[in-house]
């Protein structure tokens, strides 16, 4: 059909100069900068010895609309899979029982870390002066809220759909008695939200997320899949897609203080302290959860650690920050030694203290023992023989009257708690780098397992006043403490934690523990 001259002219004009149909997110981000406030004289509630530059940029340049659209798509995929497909195929009950117990620790502890990261990035938003940098921190606040809910949902899903809900649904009730809780709070709480704001960024973003996110959130999905867990990869890989922005925020934090005189004085010391704080807990605990909390193995933990922590983070990531004067932590070499044996030492102690936990542990099978010996030569002579002795003495059977902690007492191997990391260690029976160091301050003795923690304590002894379980419950009987600390199931007598994952095995009760008459004592008082 013929068209008029006017219509043709209009059509040709639009073809030559097409009308915009949308505005790109990056264009909107540039436009929004003209509406910002001047934060150059920012008065923050959270002080820092560093001066953060007022012109620091944000790498991802997010705007709220694009952020909400992106996250909503991810949540639809994630929850759609969990609530529909995985529930229909009864995925939660196909998980190996040992891995089900590991997820009680991993998801509960990570939830606490994500929750504290909300406060940490909010604090950084208040301390920063650059508008774009503030925008990056604000996006991370929203991420951490999302991640907290995701970790909580994993626990809810396992408790509702899977095996043995105890520990998934009530883990935090045991936080006063569980020896792993206080170490976790030292890393995730004190490390992320206490003290200098930039130090908190180094702990959270530069070390916690850039260094340990990969061996934690990425590697855990491999181990989960190998042990029949399809829920954890569905959620944790969705979390990991946000972590790249958080690593970028940590990078930009360093960039923002690079020209400050304080950076040349304090930055590498703060980085070293942050790294040692994080690795002292993460290295043994993650290794223990992966190797001893699974039946089907992916690879030795030392290889995972070496790839992600030593090579990727300590070499490549920190290397990129070298132009700003950042150096690999001096303690990285000692941490590499810990990656080989520390998780084996910790499992020995964790199993000995099993009644105080909120998850079930089980001794290695013959097949698993052969795997350990093949990958860690000398494992059987140090650990395997002990486990064989404990099994022979009936450590899994309530009627045996034997708790593995008795073996430590009988053989004069006292267990101490490192004052700085709050991680238990046994210096007289270990293959790791732990050595006993004792200092006295204000009439109180303090034990340390390494030089790096001792140095941190000497610079700020008032920061590490937390009592450990041996000091807190000295002289008290074990079953009484377990009952008081909510370490029992809904029947009020059966322990949440158990020394086996056998469905048909007998479960220990408060009465079984009481018959043994195990009393807490502080080993430091014997020195």
């Amino acid at each position: 059909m013929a068209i008029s001259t006017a219509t043709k002219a209009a059509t040709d004009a639009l073809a030559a100069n097409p009308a915009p149909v949308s505005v790109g997110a990056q264009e909107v981000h540039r436009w929004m900068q003209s509406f910002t406030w001047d934060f150059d004289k920012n008065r923050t509630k959270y002080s820092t010895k560093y001066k953060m530059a007022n012109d620091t940029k944000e790498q991802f340049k997010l705007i709220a609309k694009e952020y909400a659209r992106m996250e909503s798509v991810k949540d639809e995929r994630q929850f759609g899979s969990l609530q529909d497909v995985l529930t229909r195929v009864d995925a939660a009950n196909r998980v190996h029982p040992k891995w089900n117990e590991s997820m009680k620790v991993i998801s509960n502890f990570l939830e606490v870390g994500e929750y504290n990261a909300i406060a940490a990035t909010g604090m950084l938003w208040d301390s920063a002066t650059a508008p774009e940098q503030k925008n990056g921190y604000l996006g991370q606040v929203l991420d951490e809220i999302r991640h907290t809910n995701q970790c909580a949902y994993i626990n809810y899903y396992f408790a509702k759909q899977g095996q043995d809900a105890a520990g998934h649904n009530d883990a935090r009730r045991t936080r006063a008695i569980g020896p792993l809780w206080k170490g976790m709070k030292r890393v995730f709480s004190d490390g992320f939200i206490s003290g200098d704001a930039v130090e908190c960024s180094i702990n959270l973003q530069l070390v916690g997320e850039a260094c340990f996110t990969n061996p934690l959130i990425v590697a855990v999905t491999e181990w989960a899949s190998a042990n029949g867990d399809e829920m954890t990869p569905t959620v944790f890989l969705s979390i990991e897609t946000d972590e790249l922005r958080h690593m970028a925020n940590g990078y930009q934090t360093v960039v923002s203080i690079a020209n400050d005189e304080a950076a040349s004085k304090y930055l590498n010391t703060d980085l070293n302290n942050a790294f040692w704080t994080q690795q002292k807990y993460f290295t043994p605990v993650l290794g223990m959860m992966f190797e001893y909390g699974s039946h089907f193995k992916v690879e030795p933990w030392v290889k995972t650690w070496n790839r992600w922590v030593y090579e990727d983070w300590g070499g490549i990531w920190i290397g990129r920050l070298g132009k700003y004067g950042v150096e690999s932590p001096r303690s990285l070499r000692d941490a590499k030694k810990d990656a080989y044996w520390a998780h084996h030492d910790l499992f020995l102690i964790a199993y000995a203290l099993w009644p105080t936990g909120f998850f079930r542990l089980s001794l290695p099978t013959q097949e698993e023992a052969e795997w350990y010996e093949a990958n860690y030569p000398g494992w059987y002579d140090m650990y395997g023989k002990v486990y064989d002795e404990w099994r022979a003495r009936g450590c899994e059977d309530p009627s045996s009257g034997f708790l593995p902690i008795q073996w430590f007492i009988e053989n004069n191997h006292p267990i101490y708690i490192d004052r700085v990391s709050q991680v238990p260690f046994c210096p007289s029976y270990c293959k790791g780098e732990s050595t006993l160091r004792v200092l006295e301050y204000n009439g109180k003795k303090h034990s340390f397992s390494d030089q790096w923690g001792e140095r941190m304590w000497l610079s700020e002894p008032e920061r590490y006043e937390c009592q450990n379980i041996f000091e807190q419950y000295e002289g008290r009987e074990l079953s009484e403490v377990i009952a008081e600390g909510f370490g029992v199931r809904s029947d009020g007598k059966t322990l949440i934690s158990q020394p086996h994952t056998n469905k048909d095995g007998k479960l220990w009760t408060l009465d079984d523990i009481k018959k043994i008459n195990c009393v807490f004592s502080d080993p430091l008082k014997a020195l």
Side-chain angles (χ1 to χ4, degrees):
M1 184 176 66
I3 59 174
S4 66
T5 303
T7 301
K8 185 177 184 307
T11 302
D12 293 342
L14 285 172
N17 301 284
V21 295
S22 65
V23 179
Q26 297 301 302
E27 184 179 346
V28 172
H29 185 273
R30 287 192 296 272
W31 174 69
M32 289 176 65
Q33 300 312 305
S34 62
F35 291 90
T36 192
W37 293 273
D38 181 8
F39 292 105
D40 191 27
K41 297 180 180 179
N42 183 45
R43 294 178 61 185
T44 176
K45 293 186 293 184
Y46 307 103
S47 60
T48 174
K49 57 182 175 282
Y50 300 97
K51 179 174 174 55
M52 303 169 81
N54 195 42
D55 58 353
T56 307
K57 303 301 181 183
E58 176 202 359
Q59 291 186 16
F60 280 82
K61 296 180 169 34
L62 276 180
I63 60 174
K65 182 179 179 180
E66 284 298 303
Y67 174 87
R69 180 196 61 77
M70 174 176 63
E71 300 301 315
S72 66
V73 170
K74 290 193 287 188
D75 282 347
E76 286 171 4
R77 293 172 179 168
Q78 168 191 267
F79 290 110
S81 297
L82 288 167
Q83 295 173 356
D84 185 9
V85 178
L86 295 178
T87 301
R88 287 171 186 263
V89 298
D90 196 26
N93 284 301
R94 298 192 297 180
V95 178
H96 194 280
K98 290 183 72 171
W99 185 255
N100 179 67
E101 299 302 317
S102 286
M103 285 310 301
K104 293 178 182 179
V105 180
I106 294 170
S107 54
N108 273 294
F109 282 8
L110 187 58
E111 179 186 343
V112 174
E114 302 288 3
Y115 183 81
N116 281 282
I118 300 171
T121 45
M123 174 175 63
L124 286 165
W125 182 93
D126 194 75
S127 299
T129 59
E132 284 198 33
Q133 192 174 13
K134 280 179 173 286
N135 192 59
Y137 292 147
L138 181 60
Q140 185 168 347
V141 170
L142 299 176
D143 282 340
E144 307 299 4
I145 295 171
R146 176 176 182 260
H147 298 173
T148 302
N149 282 282
Q150 287 174 289
C151 292
Y153 190 84
I154 275 284
N155 279 314
Y156 167 78
Y157 191 91
F158 270 102
K160 183 178 180 181
Q161 306 287 349
Q163 324 151 27
D164 195 10
H168 279 302
N169 58 5
D170 51 7
R172 280 190 292 277
R173 297 174 63 194
T174 68
R175 62 188 181 276
I177 59 173
L180 293 182
W181 271 110
K182 289 187 177 180
M184 181 275 302
K185 288 190 282 187
R186 168 71 186 103
V187 171
F188 281 153
S189 298
D190 180 49
F192 286 0
I193 63 175
S194 299
D196 186 289
V198 171
E199 280 187 57
C200 291
S201 170
I202 294 170
N203 263 282
L204 169 62
Q205 297 165 332
L206 195 58
V207 180
E209 292 174 316
C211 179
F212 284 102
T213 284
N214 286 322
L216 172 56
I217 299 180
V218 176
V220 77
T221 62
E222 297 180 82
W223 287 82
S225 297
N227 287 274
D229 176 6
E230 298 175 85
M231 290 74 66
T232 299
T234 300
V235 175
F236 277 34
L237 289 176
S238 181
I239 291 176
E240 181 64 14
T241 59
D242 296 328
E243 295 295 333
L244 296 175
R245 293 198 306 278
H246 306 176
M247 298 177 196
N249 282 342
Y251 189 96
Q252 291 303 112
T253 301
V254 172
V255 172
S256 73
I257 63 171
N259 294 323
D260 182 29
E261 291 183 3
S264 60
K265 296 180 182 179
Y266 307 116
L267 180 56
N268 285 312
T269 298
D270 287 344
L271 174 59
N272 185 74
N273 290 344
F275 172 72
W276 191 255
T277 296
Q278 300 293 320
Q279 89 81 26
K280 187 66 178 178
Y281 186 81
F282 276 131
T283 297
V285 171
L286 285 179
M288 182 182 79
M289 289 295 104
F290 288 169
E291 291 192 355
Y292 288 91
S294 66
H295 178 67
F296 301 102
K297 315 302 182 189
V298 175
E299 67 176 356
W301 165 241
V302 65
K303 289 186 177 180
T304 304
W305 192 97
N306 192 66
R307 180 172 62 254
W308 289 115
V309 178
Y310 193 78
E311 296 176 359
D312 185 78
W313 182 80
I316 299 172
W317 183 255
I318 296 300
R320 290 172 178 169
L321 289 167
K323 58 187 175 184
Y324 302 112
V326 179
E327 301 171 355
S328 292
R330 291 168 293 164
S331 58
L332 185 61
R333 183 177 179 180
D334 288 345
K336 187 177 175 67
K337 298 176 184 177
D338 268 350
Y340 201 90
W341 290 115
H343 60 296
H344 299 295
D345 291 334
L346 183 62
F347 180 78
L348 193 75
I349 296 172
Y351 195 88
L353 298 174
W354 73 259
T356 62
F358 62 92
F359 56 101
R360 301 168 71 161
L361 293 165
S362 59
L363 293 177
T365 64
Q366 180 62 37
E367 179 185 358
E368 290 169 340
E370 292 173 359
W371 185 88
Y372 292 128
E373 183 63 31
N375 289 284
Y376 301 95
W379 177 91
Y380 181 79
D381 288 339
M382 185 70 179
Y383 310 100
K385 289 181 178 179
V386 177
Y387 298 141
D388 286 347
E389 180 182 342
W390 290 356
R391 187 178 278 111
R393 295 179 66 174
C395 64
E396 298 177 351
D397 185 358
S399 64
S400 67
F402 173 71
L403 289 174
I405 188 63
Q406 294 170 282
W407 181 89
F408 280 88
I409 298 171
E410 293 166 359
N411 291 278
N412 195 28
H413 293 307
I415 297 173
Y416 299 88
I417 306 291
D418 183 87
R419 182 67 73 191
V420 173
S421 67
Q422 288 292 314
V423 173
F425 68 103
C426 179
S428 61
Y429 200 85
C430 67
K431 285 182 77 68
E433 294 299 304
S434 297
T435 56
L436 178 62
R437 301 154 181 262
V438 179
L439 295 175
E440 189 169 342
Y441 179 72
N442 284 344
K444 183 178 180 180
K445 290 189 176 77
H446 305 268
S447 55
F448 308 91
S449 61
D450 58 81
Q451 62 165 322
W452 304 106
E454 183 182 13
R455 289 182 180 184
M456 283 189 274
W457 182 86
L458 286 170
S459 65
E460 292 182 287
E462 68 281 355
R463 184 169 186 169
Y464 308 103
E465 295 291 330
C466 180
Q467 282 186 314
N468 60 53
I469 58 172
F470 300 130
E471 296 168 331
Q472 188 173 356
Y473 298 114
E474 185 186 16
R476 298 188 60 185
E477 191 270 324
L478 179 57
S479 68
E480 176 187 326
V481 171
I482 294 171
E484 182 182 288
F486 303 102
V488 292
R489 295 164 184 257
S490 56
D491 63 4
K493 61 180 182 180
T494 305
L495 272 62
I496 295 176
S497 183
Q498 296 291 328
H500 62 81
T501 56
N502 186 357
K503 291 182 180 180
D504 301 322
K506 295 179 180 179
L507 300 182
W508 288 64
T509 65
L510 290 175
D511 289 339
D512 297 321
I513 299 294
K514 191 172 184 178
K515 290 176 184 176
I516 300 173
N517 192 33
C518 185
V519 178
F520 281 90
S521 63
D522 182 5
L524 286 174
K525 290 198 172 180
L527 298 177

